[in-house]
């Protein structure tokens, strides 16, 4: 039974790493966008603490094709409205 459990665990890790790899471009864009939006809104050159990258939402009509640009857009909106 323990072998079966180990296989399930390995499979979950594998699935997570696949999801993370797909989210890498989005998260890199999110981080850049958040920093840009924050700096512009606060009129500062200080780099803020960036919140954890959210799950990438489904792209809607008019969203950029690139995952990185999609992340940047969402991060920018969050950064510009940060406290």
């Amino acid at each position: 039974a323990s072998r079966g459990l180990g296989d399930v665990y390995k499979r979950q890790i594998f699935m997570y790493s696949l999801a993370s790899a797909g989210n890498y471009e989005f998260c890199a864009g999110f981080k850049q966008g958040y920093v840009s939006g924050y700096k512009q809104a606060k009129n500062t050159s200080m780099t803020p603490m960036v919140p954890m990258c959210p799950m990438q939402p489904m792209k809607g009509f008019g969203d950029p094709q690139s995952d990185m640009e999609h992340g940047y857009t969402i991060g920018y909106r969050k950064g510009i409205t940060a406290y």
Side-chain angles (χ1 to χ4, degrees):
S2 64
R3 188 179 74 88
L5 196 56
D7 289 345
V8 169
Y9 185 66
K10 283 180 196 161
R11 224 179 333 224
Q12 284 177 336
I13 289 175
F14 179 71
M15 292 306 287
Y16 177 75
S17 58
L18 280 181
S20 300
N23 215 23
Y24 176 79
E25 294 284 316
F26 175 80
C27 288
F30 177 84
K31 183 177 181 179
Q32 285 182 352
Y34 185 89
V35 169
S36 295
Y38 182 92
K39 286 180 174 183
Q40 185 174 334
K42 303 287 184 246
N43 195 24
T44 183
S45 59
M46 198 175 78
T47 301
M49 287 277 294
V50 178
M52 207 168 102
C53 178
M55 289 279 296
Q56 182 175 3
M58 295 291 290
K59 291 181 185 174
F61 184 75
D63 280 331
Q65 201 68 49
S66 150
D67 286 347
M68 182 138 187
E69 286 177 54
H70 191 213
Y72 184 94
T73 304
I74 291 169
Y76 185 85
R77 281 190 226 130
K78 278 220 190 291
I80 213 160
T81 58
Y83 293 97

